[in-house]
Each structure stands twice: as structure tokens, then as C-alpha cells.
Amino acid sequence: MFPSTRAITLAVLSTTALRAYAADASVLKPPVGAKAAIVVFEDLESPESASAYPVMLEAANTHKIPVLRYDFPLPRHSWSFTAAVWARYFESQDSKSAKLGNEFRRFIYASQKQISRDNLQQWVQKFADEHKIVLPSDSDPAGKLAEKVKADFALGQRIGVEHPPTIWVISNSGVSQPAVEEITSDQLNQMIDDVLRKVQTAKARNPAPRKSALNQQKRSIQGVIR
């Protein structure tokens, strides 16, 4: 007897889910002081990464949590690695934040369909001109920026990333399942809500010591030292 269409569909979906959720970001942590963070491994040449970009920004702004970006330029993409190195260059021009690098990524995603390996430099120059930046003849003479991009890619491989964008919501209390290649605003907001709920639950189970208790502990330690 042949299996039903529904059984076949469920089997396919289960296999796909296992493959998509094999990646594990539990080694990643949010910045100090942040309750949670959105983590994305992205490829500047990937249409799916371009589509996910505004969704992540909107969700991050709504929930007031940071976005941690990692470069994952696929080898089959002809200009994504070079674009990632330029993104790192523009980040390095902003000593206080990564704002300029983020603006460059936004610019590249918005122009992605018009960019090729042959004209990428023209788009880099256009961005630089709009921001009144004089470009060097070589963005990365020592290769340090390229090494950072390679380090991101290697990290992604270690934790199981295969397809950009791969997106998690992380906290010190847990990590969401990843969204791979496609994500909607509703899906990402639900992921954030679930992780923040776990943060609140962990906080309720392990409340911070009251100030009086901390002072008493401090006095006790001082007494031992003396």
C-alpha cells in the first residue's frame, strides 16, 4: 500500500526542518547589558539577505535590542566577499560605532540587482562620494579586514550555517531555533518574544540579591579578609 500524500508531505517537511535547524548558535552571547540580540549570518549578494535586512532592523528597533552581523559570503557569489571587505573598511572609518558600515550594507542591498563583479567598485565609489569619503587605492593592504570576513565564515561553518541569511534570537538564557533564508516580520517578532519570555522566567527563578543582602555579604567578606 502506498503512503498517503499527507504522510509524504509530513515526511518531507520533517526532513527539511531537521536540515534547517541543524545549526546551533548556543556559543554566541548578546552584548553585555543587552537582554537579547538578533544574530544574522548574511551574504551581501544574497537576495534573501537583502529581503531580511529591513525586517531585522524594524524588529530590533521595536524591541530595542541589537543586531549582531556576521559575514557569510558564499563562494559561488562573485562579488559578495569583496563587498564584505569594503563593509569592514567603512566600519573602520567610524571609531564610535558601526553606523557607516551598516549604511554601506543597506546601500548595497538596495542596489544589489544592479551590481556585478565588474561594476562593484563603481558602487563603492558612489557610496564614498555620497558620504564625502576619499577611498584609498587598497581597502585592505595588510589583509586584516579579509581575515575578519574569513573568521566570520569559519564561525558560521563551525555552528552549522549553510544558507544566508541564517537568523537567531539569542540571550544568556537560551537561543531560538534559526530562521533560514526567509523570515517574516511576524516570525521574527515571535522569536524575540519567546526568547524575552525565557529571560523573564530565568530572572524570576534567580532574582538578583537585594541591596541589603549584598551589603551584608560585602561586610562578611571584609571581615574574613581582616
Side-chain angles (χ1 to χ4, degrees):
M1 180 176 180
F2 292 104
S4 67
T5 301
R6 183 173 182 274
I8 294 174
T9 301
L10 288 175
V12 170
L13 289 175
S14 297
T15 302
T16 303
L18 286 172
R19 184 163 56 247
Y21 294 146
D24 178 12
S26 59
V27 298
L28 305 178
K29 301 298 177 184
V32 175
K35 293 183 293 185
I38 298 170
V39 169
V40 57
F41 282 77
E42 63 184 357
D43 179 332
L44 288 168
E45 197 173 341
S46 158
E48 293 82 8
S49 290
S51 297
Y53 186 85
V55 175
M56 290 188 300
L57 287 188
E58 180 182 3
N61 290 333
T62 298
H63 294 273
K64 295 179 172 55
I65 61 175
V67 177
L68 305 181
R69 293 185 175 86
Y70 294 87
D71 287 303
F72 199 77
L74 296 176
R76 70 173 181 268
H77 285 164
S78 63
W79 55 263
S80 59
F81 183 89
T82 304
V85 172
W86 274 113
R88 297 300 181 116
Y89 171 79
F90 288 115
E91 286 174 10
S92 71
Q93 302 307 296
D94 187 349
S95 58
K96 294 183 179 179
S97 70
K99 182 178 179 181
L100 192 59
N102 291 339
E103 284 297 318
F104 177 74
R105 293 174 189 272
R106 187 202 305 269
F107 173 81
I108 292 297
Y109 281 139
S111 311
Q112 190 184 70
K113 293 180 180 180
Q114 305 172 66
I115 299 175
S116 68
R117 181 177 61 181
D118 294 333
N119 70 15
L120 172 63
Q121 190 60 33
Q122 297 173 26
W123 288 94
V124 173
Q125 186 66 59
K126 182 179 180 181
F127 176 83
D129 291 344
E130 290 178 357
H131 290 78
K132 297 178 171 56
I133 296 172
V134 178
L135 291 180
S137 58
D138 187 343
S139 64
D140 189 25
K144 292 182 179 180
L145 301 180
E147 287 303 318
K148 290 182 178 181
V149 175
K150 291 176 183 178
D152 278 6
F153 189 84
L155 173 62
Q157 288 185 310
R158 286 200 302 274
I159 64 178
V161 174
E162 295 181 0
H163 308 286
T166 297
I167 301 168
W168 288 271
V169 179
I170 65 171
S171 74
N172 289 318
S173 303
V175 178
S176 72
Q177 292 283 11
V180 181
E181 292 189 311
E182 295 182 2
I183 190 166
T184 65
S185 179
D186 288 344
Q187 182 184 4
L188 182 54
N189 282 308
Q190 186 61 56
M191 289 164 64
I192 295 171
D193 288 340
D194 290 345
V195 168
L196 290 178
R197 194 175 299 114
K198 291 179 181 179
V199 171
Q200 287 299 111
T201 300
K203 186 176 180 181
R205 290 175 178 172
N206 303 286
R210 289 179 299 178
K211 188 173 181 181
S212 58
L214 288 172
N215 289 337
Q216 181 63 43
Q217 183 182 27
K218 182 177 179 181
R219 286 195 294 271
S220 298
I221 293 173
Q222 289 174 338
V224 171
I225 293 175
R226 290 171 186 169

